[in-house]
């Protein structure tokens, strides 16, 4: 008898084969980190089924099986080898194996030698990821699979991290997106993560086999892989057991005595090891009671709603995972409040809350109302609330009312960490978790649920921890492994709870705020958000800072309380909020449509409220809203796109040349388009980027850490190949055009040499004339000779005079394009000043004009009546600026000079777009910040990539505009204070 065990990250699989390798027993169950105990039960079951077989060949495989194998001298089989062994026996001719487990993901390329791709530091896109998403939506895994069959639309969902994906999913649910659409979108996210994160440039083709729990249980996940890859993959019988089967087939000759092995396992109790190392939070019960008493003194007062008569003010905080509401009286005392999970849709909860209030307290009149948070626009439109207020202002308003001299506020919510410094009564700096949501409230809740605890019960366990587990502050999905390892090492639930609470604080301080010391934060610190109701989190924060902080008794309600104060301060004469009769007739319906008014093709979620009112979510601009505000918008990013659209294809006798609209081509298109059109080529440019274009090329991306604009190049090349152009032109350009603004004029290494990456990783380029030669733009004669040399490879009739003429005209056209951009910038500048409008220079790189790269941020800013200029539209007004670095990059030099110019303009502020993965951006940002702060200007940086959290972006922009408004008031009324 041959026994194979596959001890995975979350499950224990077992097969038993007879002497002819026939499968006579198999088992599959979750082990909940109790690997030794589950193995004992399993072996006893096998001995009960086959009582005559006391000895067997036994091998162990799997990501969590090595420790068990080593302790008990059992052969361990590496899981990739085991998988390959089973696949070769069961599915002949397999080219590629895609295997997804609980926290592991693998792609095995079997053709032309074995090559393995596995997930390393991220567990996004695995079974644990899918589990978390199902839990978030409140459905079972079976329901998720069935719902996805009837989906109509798909949304873009981040898949690198389970918690960050919630930042995409929760707002969509709040806006009314269907769970069937969300289920299909989650499966697509898993597929994108597997292909983009693991395939890394190697095509998945031929005979594809699907293995592992997620691909076995989810037929729609397999279907999504098939559709995306263009294959018809196979999920073989017993696909769950291939690793275990491969371990059994290894067939080690030395048999194991099963009763003896069970006895050894039973006697080998795990001894507690030194897994901790962190200082305990509370020495004893007495210290905890002193701590608790101190914080219970920080009270916001309540008032009896049954005895109160008069005006009241409503504030709502529609958070990512919870809904909070406060009704306060005219003296700022709380009459009524709620704090509960939003269950994916806050609308019915607020309806019930208001109806209940109207019925119970008819003598109280809601005079004014305001809402903040993720669901602000939805609830404002649904219930005709009076005002919307950005989260930072709502939280600051509440903290200032409670403690006037507050100088630092930290709010840890379900998926957001918001921190802001206050200086002279003005929000001076804002910190948001833009790239990852590990370390938020849902981080703790997810672990509590996974370990079988209510979040309140789990939080209280940590109070009495004697040896907190040091878990660091890694990705929430992948940290499961650390928790399980701690359990194996004997850690108690109390130690794990305390360790997770400490990791929340470390994440906030060292990943979000990046504080070097407690002094950086301030002296009067107020903590807010439901996560700080957890006493272990609060004590961990105080211990890490080594100072006492203030937690109001309404910590989780502070956003709603601030919104209520804001509503009162606005001095509303008459509220527009729905009354009791209107609420009884209230009806909320949701449908999804495609916009189609521009190339973004936004999936719009249309919320109808039964009385000819509606709210549309999912749009990047106001076009589908048909806003009553017909005020003209001034957006230089849109103007630059209009100019680039003017370069259209013209038929040429020498065939077609394709130009990818990516990276520096956004600025160089006028030059190259003119050159090749004059040389009688038909110039075909790829379209502006889209999500579909990105997915088209993601299977050829060799690096997951390169910046998003570079990743997009792959999709543009694939598009041009599909257009069957004769030549694709994408040259390597070490130098840019010298603008005389820096010490040198290099392109960044990615912009300069990414054509080399494309040539090495896109197999479909074979047979295509792909020009990626090195060229220089400085010397017209040298460039002309180089172009002639390249083009004569395929077109011997081209003459040097033709090329020289085309290059000369191309340079003139480039300069004409730049003048048009600058002329339009000057026009917008003059109109802004004529109409007294605030100006924001949205600065970045030429490729940030790409709609998919900038995510419509320029349009988002113009929604607030602000004029948006680009850095190149005013660079002619700037001068060379000395900086404390070697200023050798063209785009950097432009940014430094523009920052210096903005610093001298009273009506301008600067917002910088920064692409994740670009180390050079970090250098630029520090210098720009130094330039602007030296001139007393506000500086905001927006980090963007393929999974940008637009909710965080919107918070930053609205907070910036509020800070500008407040600064203007201070300057006019009391002198310069910011």
């Amino acid at each position: 008898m041959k026994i194979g065990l596959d001890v995975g990250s979350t499950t224990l699989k077992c097969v038993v084969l007879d002497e002819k390798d026939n499968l006579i027993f198999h088992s599959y169950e979750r082990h909940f980190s109790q690997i030794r105990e589950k193995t004992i039960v399993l072996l006893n079951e096998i001995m009960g089924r086959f009582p005559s077989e006391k000895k067997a060949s036994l091998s162990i495989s799997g990501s969590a099986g090595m420790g068990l194998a080593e302790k008990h001298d059992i052969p361990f089989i590496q899981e990739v080898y085991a998988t390959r062994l089973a696949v070769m026996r069961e599915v002949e001719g397999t080219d590629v194996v895609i295997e997804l487990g609980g926290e592991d993901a693998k792609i095995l390329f079997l053709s032309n030698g074995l090559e393995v791709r596995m997930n390393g530091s991220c567990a996004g896109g695995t079974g644990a990821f899918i589990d978390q998403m199902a839990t978030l939506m409140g459905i079972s895994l079976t329901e998720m699979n069935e719902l996805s069959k009837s989906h109509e639309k798909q949304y873009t969902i981040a898949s690198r991290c389970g918690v960050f994906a919630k930042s995409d999913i929760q707002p969509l649910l709040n806006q009314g997106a269907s769970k069937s659409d969300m289920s299909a979108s989650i499966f697509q996210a898993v597929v994108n993560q597997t292909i983009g994160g693991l395939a890394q440039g190697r095509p998945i083709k031929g005979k594809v086999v699907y293995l592992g729990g997620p691909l076995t249980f989810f037929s729609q996940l397999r279907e999504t892989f098939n559709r995306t890859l263009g294959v018809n993959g196979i999920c073989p019988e017993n696909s769950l057991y291939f690793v275990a089967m491969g371990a059994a087939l290894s067939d080690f000759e030395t048999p194991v005595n099963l009763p003896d092995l069970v006895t050894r396992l039973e006697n080998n109790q795990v001894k507690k090891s030194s897994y901790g190392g962190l200082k305990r939070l509370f020495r004893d019960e007495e210290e905890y009671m002193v701590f608790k008493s101190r914080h219970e003194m920080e009270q916001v007062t309540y008032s009896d709603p049954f005895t109160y008569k008069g005006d009241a003010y409503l504030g709502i905080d529609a958070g990512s995972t919870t809904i909070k509401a406060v009704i306060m009286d005219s003296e700022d005392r709380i009459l009524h409040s709620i704090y509960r999970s939003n269950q994916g849709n806050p609308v019915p909860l607020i309806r019930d809350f208001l109806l209940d209030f109207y019925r119970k307290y008819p003598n109280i009149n809601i005079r004014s109302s305001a809402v903040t948070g993720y669901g602000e626009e939805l609830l404002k439109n649904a219930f005709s609330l009076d005002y919307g207020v950005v989260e930072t202002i709502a939280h600051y308003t509440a903290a200032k009312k409670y403690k006037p001299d507050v100088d630092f506020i930290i709010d840890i919510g379900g998926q957001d960490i918001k921190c802001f410094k206050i200086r002279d009564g003005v929000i001076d700096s804002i910190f948001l978790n833009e790239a990852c949501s590990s370390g938020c409230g849902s981080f703790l809740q997810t672990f509590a649920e996974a370990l079988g605890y209510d979040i309140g019960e789990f939080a209280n366990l940590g109070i009495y921890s004697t040896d907190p587990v040091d878990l660091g502050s890694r990705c929430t999905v992948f940290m499961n492994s650390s928790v399980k390892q701690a359990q194996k090492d004997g850690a108690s639930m109390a130690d794990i709870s305390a360790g997770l609470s400490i990791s929340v604080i470390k994440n906030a301080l060292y990943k979000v705020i990046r504080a070097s010391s407690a002094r950086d934060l301030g002296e009067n610190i107020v903590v807010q958000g439901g996560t700080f109701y957890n006493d272990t989190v609060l004590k961990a924060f105080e211990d890490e800072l080594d100072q006492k902080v203030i937690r109001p008794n309404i910590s989780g309600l502070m956003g709603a309380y601030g919104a209520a104060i804001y509503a009162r301060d606005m001095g509303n004469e008459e509220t527009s909020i729905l009354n009791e009769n209107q609420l009884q007739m209230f009806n909320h319906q949701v449908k999804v449509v495609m916009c189609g008014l521009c190339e973004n093709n936004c999936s719009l979620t249309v919320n109808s409220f039964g009385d000819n009112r509606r709210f549309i979510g999912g749009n990047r601009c106001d076009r589908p809203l048909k806003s009553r505000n017909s005020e003209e918008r001034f957006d230089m990013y849109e103007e630059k796109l209009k100019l680039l659209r003017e370069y259209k294809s013209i038929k040429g006798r020498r065939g077609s040349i394709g130009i990818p609209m990516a990276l520096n081509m956004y600025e160089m298109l006028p030059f190259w388009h003119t050159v090749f059109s004059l040389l009688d080529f038909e110039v075909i440019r790829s379209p502006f980027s889209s999500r579909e274009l990105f997915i088209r090329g993601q299977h050829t991306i060799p690096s997951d850490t390169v910046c998003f604009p570079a990743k997009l190049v792959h999709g543009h090349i694939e598009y041009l190949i599909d257009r069957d152009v004769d030549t694709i032109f994408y040259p390597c350009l070490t130098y840019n055009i010298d603008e005389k603004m820096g010490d040198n004029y290099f392109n960044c290494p990615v912009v300069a040499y990414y054509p080399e990456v494309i040539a090495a990783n896109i197999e479909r380029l074979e047979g295509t004339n792909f020009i990626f030669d090195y060229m220089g733009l400085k010397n017209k004669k040298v460039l002309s000779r180089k172009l002639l040399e390249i083009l004569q490879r395929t077109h011997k009739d081209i003459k040097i005079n033709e090329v020289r003429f085309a290059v000369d005209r191309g340079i003139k056209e480039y300069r004409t394009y730049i003048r048009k951009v600058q002329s339009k910038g000057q026009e917008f500048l003059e109109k802004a000043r004529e109409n007294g409008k605030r100006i924001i220079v949205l600065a970045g790189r030429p490729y940030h004009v790409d709609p998919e790269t900038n995510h419509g941020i320029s349009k988002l800013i113009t929604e607030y009546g602000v004029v948006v200029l680009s850095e190149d539209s005013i660079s002619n007004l700037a001068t060379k600026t000395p900086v404390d670095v070697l200023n050798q990059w063209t785009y950097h030099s432009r940014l430094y000079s523009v920052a210096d110019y903005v610093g001298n303009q009273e009506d301008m502020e600067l917002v910088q777009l920064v692409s994740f993965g670009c180390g050079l951006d970090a250098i630029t940002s520090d210098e720009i910040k130094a330039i602007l702060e030296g001139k007393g200007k506000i500086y905001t940086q927006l980090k963007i990539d393929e999974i940008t959290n637009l909710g965080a972006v919107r918070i930053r922009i609205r907070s910036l505009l509020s800070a500008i408004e407040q600064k203007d008031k201070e300057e006019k009324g009391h002198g310069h204070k910011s």
Side-chain angles (χ1 to χ4, degrees):
M1 191 165 69
K2 303 170 186 177
I3 301 174
L5 293 180
D6 174 14
V7 187
S9 56
T10 58
T11 55
L12 175 63
K13 284 83 69 178
C14 173
V15 299
V16 178
L17 307 179
D18 63 15
E19 67 278 2
K20 296 182 180 179
D21 293 339
N22 296 312
L23 183 65
I24 56 176
F25 173 80
H26 59 77
S27 171
Y28 177 98
E29 63 176 320
R30 295 196 177 217
H31 55 59
F32 299 104
S33 297
Q34 299 174 337
I35 295 171
R36 182 182 61 87
E37 294 84 350
K38 293 287 185 182
T39 303
I40 292 171
V41 172
L42 186 61
L43 291 177
N44 280 325
E45 182 181 355
I46 292 171
M47 288 190 292
R49 284 176 177 262
F50 309 103
S52 61
E53 301 286 345
K54 298 299 182 183
K55 291 188 176 183
S57 168
L58 175 63
S59 303
I60 296 178
S61 187
S63 58
M66 184 176 286
L68 186 70
E70 288 179 345
K71 284 182 181 178
H72 302 284
D73 198 26
I74 300 170
F76 178 79
I77 310 301
Q78 209 284 330
E79 59 188 293
V80 172
Y81 174 77
T83 302
R84 180 173 177 267
L85 201 61
V87 168
M88 289 174 66
R89 176 178 179 249
E90 299 292 322
V91 191
E92 292 184 9
T94 299
D95 295 297
V96 183
V97 175
I98 300 177
E99 181 181 2
L100 299 183
E103 293 169 11
D104 304 314
K106 293 188 289 290
I107 298 180
L108 279 65
F109 295 97
L110 302 180
S111 301
N112 303 318
L114 176 65
E115 185 178 358
V116 183
R117 307 284 175 85
M118 298 181 67
N119 61 328
S121 60
C122 176
T126 60
F129 174 89
I130 299 172
D131 281 353
Q132 288 190 7
M133 299 307 103
T135 301
L136 173 66
M137 293 194 294
I139 58 178
S140 69
L141 295 172
T142 302
E143 288 174 317
M144 176 184 276
N145 190 64
E146 291 303 309
L147 284 169
S148 68
K149 294 178 181 178
S150 58
H151 79 278
E152 296 178 359
K153 305 289 181 185
Q154 284 193 6
Y155 299 91
T156 300
I157 304 297
S159 55
R160 290 186 194 167
C161 167
V163 180
F164 198 66
K166 295 178 184 179
S167 297
D168 286 332
I169 293 171
Q170 196 66 62
L172 288 167
L173 292 174
N174 291 352
Q175 292 169 4
S178 71
K179 290 183 179 179
S180 59
D181 289 348
M182 297 312 304
S183 297
S185 302
I186 289 164
F187 286 147
Q188 186 66 59
V190 171
V191 171
N192 293 343
Q193 174 68 11
T194 304
I195 298 171
L198 298 184
Q200 294 183 340
R202 180 161 178 176
I204 299 172
K205 58 186 179 181
K207 191 172 186 178
V208 179
V209 171
Y210 299 132
L211 300 178
L215 284 166
T216 298
F217 296 127
F218 299 120
S219 61
Q220 291 305 295
L221 180 59
R222 298 195 301 270
E223 197 59 40
T224 306
F225 266 107
N226 285 340
R227 184 178 63 253
T228 304
L229 294 171
V231 300
N232 189 18
I234 303 165
C235 185
E237 186 181 2
N238 298 318
S239 59
L240 294 171
Y241 306 103
F242 267 52
V243 174
M245 199 177 299
L249 289 169
S250 300
D251 192 16
F252 281 83
E253 294 181 0
T254 305
V256 174
N257 186 291
L258 296 180
D260 289 349
L261 177 58
V262 169
T263 301
R264 293 204 309 272
L265 288 168
E266 288 174 338
N267 294 334
N268 185 22
Q269 298 293 327
V270 177
K271 296 181 180 179
K272 187 171 179 178
S273 63
S274 180
Y275 53 78
L278 296 178
K279 175 186 172 185
R280 63 189 298 176
L281 297 171
F282 298 101
R283 289 191 303 272
D284 49 38
E285 180 77 15
E286 182 181 353
E287 184 184 17
Y288 173 58
M289 295 311 297
V290 170
F291 167 86
K292 194 171 182 180
S293 299
R294 170 164 59 86
H295 284 288
E296 286 176 348
M297 295 171 61
E298 311 292 350
Q299 295 286 325
V300 172
T301 56
Y302 281 73
S303 178
D304 185 0
F306 289 102
T307 59
Y308 179 78
K309 295 181 181 180
D311 292 336
Y313 304 91
L314 168 67
I316 299 173
D317 181 2
S320 57
T321 58
T322 55
I323 185 76
K324 288 83 67 176
V326 163
I327 297 178
M328 71 177 196
D329 64 19
S330 55
E331 297 181 13
D332 299 346
R333 297 173 300 186
I334 295 176
L335 294 164
H336 192 45
S337 65
I338 61 165
Y339 182 111
R340 65 181 63 170
S341 168
N342 61 26
Q343 299 172 6
N345 185 3
V347 173
L349 298 176
I350 292 299
R351 176 183 179 272
D352 293 345
F353 170 76
L354 290 173
L355 271 175
D356 180 65
F357 184 83
Y358 286 145
R359 290 166 181 167
K360 284 184 178 178
Y361 315 114
N363 294 324
I364 300 178
N365 172 50
I366 295 179
R367 178 73 173 274
S368 185
S369 58
V371 58
T372 189
Y374 270 99
E376 174 193 330
E377 291 295 328
L378 174 63
L379 295 183
K380 187 171 184 288
N381 283 272
F383 300 105
S384 296
L385 302 177
D386 299 302
Y387 304 105
V389 55
V390 67
E391 290 96 312
T392 49
I393 299 301
H395 285 282
Y396 176 41
T397 301
K400 184 169 60 173
K401 169 68 180 176
Y402 182 78
K403 187 168 182 57
D405 59 348
V406 60
D407 54 15
F408 189 85
I409 299 168
I410 176 170
D411 171 64
I412 301 182
Q415 291 160 31
D416 293 323
I417 298 176
K418 296 185 284 286
C419 315
F420 24 104
K421 291 183 181 180
I422 314 299
R423 185 180 299 169
D424 294 329
V426 177
I427 295 177
D428 181 69
S429 300
I430 301 172
F431 308 92
L432 294 167
N433 58 322
E434 293 170 296
C436 178
S437 289
S438 66
C440 298
S442 58
F443 171 88
L444 289 175
Q445 186 169 350
T446 298
F447 274 105
E449 292 171 353
L451 296 169
Y453 288 86
D454 170 79
I455 180 60
E457 180 187 9
F458 184 69
N460 288 332
L461 288 174
I463 294 169
Y464 304 104
S465 166
T466 58
D467 198 3
V469 180
D470 187 358
L471 297 169
S473 54
R474 300 170 64 203
C475 156
T476 181
V477 182
F478 219 67
M479 199 184 283
N480 281 323
S481 299
S482 299
V483 171
K484 288 166 185 170
Q485 185 59 49
Q487 285 181 292
K488 294 175 205 171
D489 291 341
S492 67
M493 281 296 138
D495 294 337
I496 290 172
S497 173
L500 287 169
S501 296
I502 293 169
S503 75
V504 166
I505 296 306
K506 287 184 174 181
N507 184 74
L509 288 175
Y510 305 125
K511 286 190 174 180
V512 178
I513 306 173
R514 297 179 181 176
S516 57
S517 68
R519 192 173 298 175
D520 289 348
L521 272 62
E523 297 179 1
N524 300 301
I525 300 173
V526 173
V527 301
Q528 302 181 11
T531 303
F532 276 112
Y533 281 137
N534 184 333
D535 285 337
T536 55
V537 171
L538 180 61
K539 184 60 163 58
F541 187 60
E542 291 189 335
D543 286 353
E544 200 69 29
L545 293 181
D546 195 24
Q547 74 178 79
K548 295 177 181 178
V549 302
I550 298 163
R551 177 188 65 183
N553 63 317
I554 61 164
S555 171
L557 296 172
M558 289 291 271
Y561 186 55
I565 296 173
Y566 181 90
R568 184 208 61 195
D569 290 345
M570 293 302 290
N572 203 30
E573 291 295 326
E574 185 177 347
T575 184
S576 60
I577 191 172
L578 300 185
N579 58 36
E580 183 177 354
N581 290 332
Q582 289 171 316
L583 284 174
Q584 288 175 340
M585 302 294 292
F586 181 85
N587 181 33
H588 179 212
Q589 293 184 333
V590 180
K591 67 176 181 178
V592 179
V593 299
M594 187 73 75
C595 176
L597 293 178
C598 70
E599 64 272 8
N600 285 331
N601 292 316
C602 299
S603 291
L604 304 180
T605 305
V606 181
N607 295 265
S608 301
F609 304 116
D611 52 359
N612 295 321
R613 293 182 303 109
R614 65 176 187 169
F615 168 69
I616 300 177
N619 53 297
R620 296 187 186 180
C621 65
D622 64 342
R623 290 172 103 181
L625 300 180
K626 297 181 180 177
S627 173
R628 288 171 293 181
N629 182 8
S630 58
E631 184 179 339
E632 186 179 1
R633 303 291 172 86
F634 302 103
D635 181 357
M636 268 308 304
Y637 280 68
E638 187 59 37
E639 292 299 322
K640 287 171 67 176
L641 288 177
K642 288 179 183 177
L643 289 173
L644 292 173
R645 288 190 184 102
E646 293 176 1
Y647 295 95
K648 302 182 183 300
S649 297
I650 304 171
K651 288 291 183 181
R653 63 182 175 85
R654 285 178 169 145
S656 58
I657 282 188
I659 295 180
M661 285 300 291
L663 294 178
N664 59 333
M665 284 297 185
Y666 273 93
E667 188 163 273
M668 298 308 301
L669 178 68
F671 173 75
W672 294 119
H673 188 281
T674 301
V675 169
F676 291 120
S677 294
L678 288 173
L679 290 174
D680 220 356
F681 290 95
E682 179 185 4
V683 179
I684 298 175
R685 65 168 180 84
S686 59
F688 299 131
S689 301
S690 64
R691 185 67 187 174
E692 292 72 25
L693 194 85
F694 170 62
I695 291 173
R696 180 184 291 192
Q698 71 174 352
H699 66 285
T700 65
I701 300 171
S703 169
D704 191 45
T705 57
V706 75
C707 65
F708 182 47
K711 291 178 181 177
L712 284 168
V713 178
H714 296 258
H716 287 275
I717 299 295
E718 292 281 345
Y719 171 88
L720 293 172
I721 294 172
D722 290 339
R723 286 291 304 269
D724 199 26
V725 295
D726 300 319
T727 299
I728 295 178
F729 180 78
Y730 184 34
C732 294
L733 296 172
T734 300
Y735 289 93
N736 206 310
I737 292 174
D738 187 2
E739 297 181 349
K740 310 296 183 185
M741 301 182 83
D743 303 316
N744 215 319
Y745 49 99
F746 285 112
N747 279 314
C748 92
V750 173
V751 170
Y753 309 121
Y754 210 72
E756 292 273 15
V757 178
I758 294 298
N761 288 279
I762 299 185
E763 288 187 0
R764 293 183 66 201
L765 281 172
E766 293 182 14
T768 300
N769 182 29
F770 180 46
I771 298 174
F772 63 104
D773 300 63
Y774 285 67
M775 297 183 187
L777 300 174
K778 183 177 181 179
N779 189 303
K780 289 193 294 184
K781 291 183 178 180
V782 174
L783 175 59
S784 298
R785 287 198 299 269
K786 183 68 175 179
L787 265 179
L788 179 68
E789 174 192 327
I790 293 168
L791 295 176
Q792 281 191 339
R793 295 174 194 161
T794 53
H795 296 80
K796 301 294 186 183
D797 62 321
I798 293 180
K799 307 300 181 185
I800 186 64
N801 289 340
E802 287 183 88
V803 179
R804 285 174 177 168
F805 175 76
V807 168
D808 185 65
R809 292 294 294 272
I811 291 172
K812 289 178 180 178
E813 181 61 31
Y814 170 80
R815 290 172 179 164
T816 299
Y817 166 77
I818 296 297
R819 282 196 298 271
K820 286 180 181 179
V821 171
Q822 293 170 350
S823 175
K824 184 60 72 171
Q826 186 66 40
E827 177 189 334
F828 282 6
L829 187 58
E830 291 172 359
K831 287 184 177 179
R833 287 173 174 166
E834 285 173 8
N835 297 292
K837 289 181 174 290
R838 174 63 61 175
I839 302 164
I840 283 183
V841 179
L842 188 61
R845 309 291 196 274
Y847 44 77
H848 284 140
V849 75
D850 187 346
E852 185 66 20
T853 301
N854 66 45
H855 299 290
I857 289 172
S858 63
K859 293 179 181 178
L860 191 156
I861 296 175
T862 60
E863 287 179 16
Y864 301 104
V866 177
V867 174
V868 172
L869 301 178
S870 57
E871 78 290 340
D872 54 350
S873 68
I874 59 170
S875 60
N876 59 310
L877 304 177
T879 57
K880 182 176 178 179
T881 302
V883 289
D884 294 328
V885 296
L886 180 59
N887 186 7
Q888 60 182 350
W889 314 98
T890 296
Y891 302 151
H892 288 204
S893 302
R894 194 183 294 171
L895 290 173
Y896 297 147
S897 298
V898 167
D900 187 53
Y901 175 77
V902 169
N904 295 318
Q905 309 301 310
E906 291 185 1
D907 55 357
M908 286 187 181
E909 308 294 342
L910 187 138
V911 174
Q912 186 193 1
L913 294 177
V914 174
S915 294
F916 281 106
C918 179
L920 293 173
D921 269 342
I923 299 171
T924 314
S925 301
D926 289 343
E927 289 298 324
I928 289 177
K929 184 177 181 182
I931 291 169
L932 289 166
E933 287 185 348
K935 296 175 179 291
K937 301 295 287 184
I938 294 174
Y939 170 68
T940 297
Q941 181 190 91
L942 300 177
K943 293 183 178 179
I944 54 176
D945 72 349
E946 64 263 40
I947 59 167
T948 291
N949 180 355
L950 288 180
V953 170
R954 189 179 289 271
I955 290 171
R956 276 196 179 279
I957 291 170
R958 292 183 64 190
S959 299
L960 167 67
L961 296 174
S962 297
I964 293 170
E965 182 181 358
Q966 190 171 357
K967 185 182 78 168
D968 288 346
K969 289 178 181 178
E970 295 287 356
E971 289 174 348
K972 291 175 182 176
H974 309 290
H976 186 77
K977 288 185 69 177
S978 70

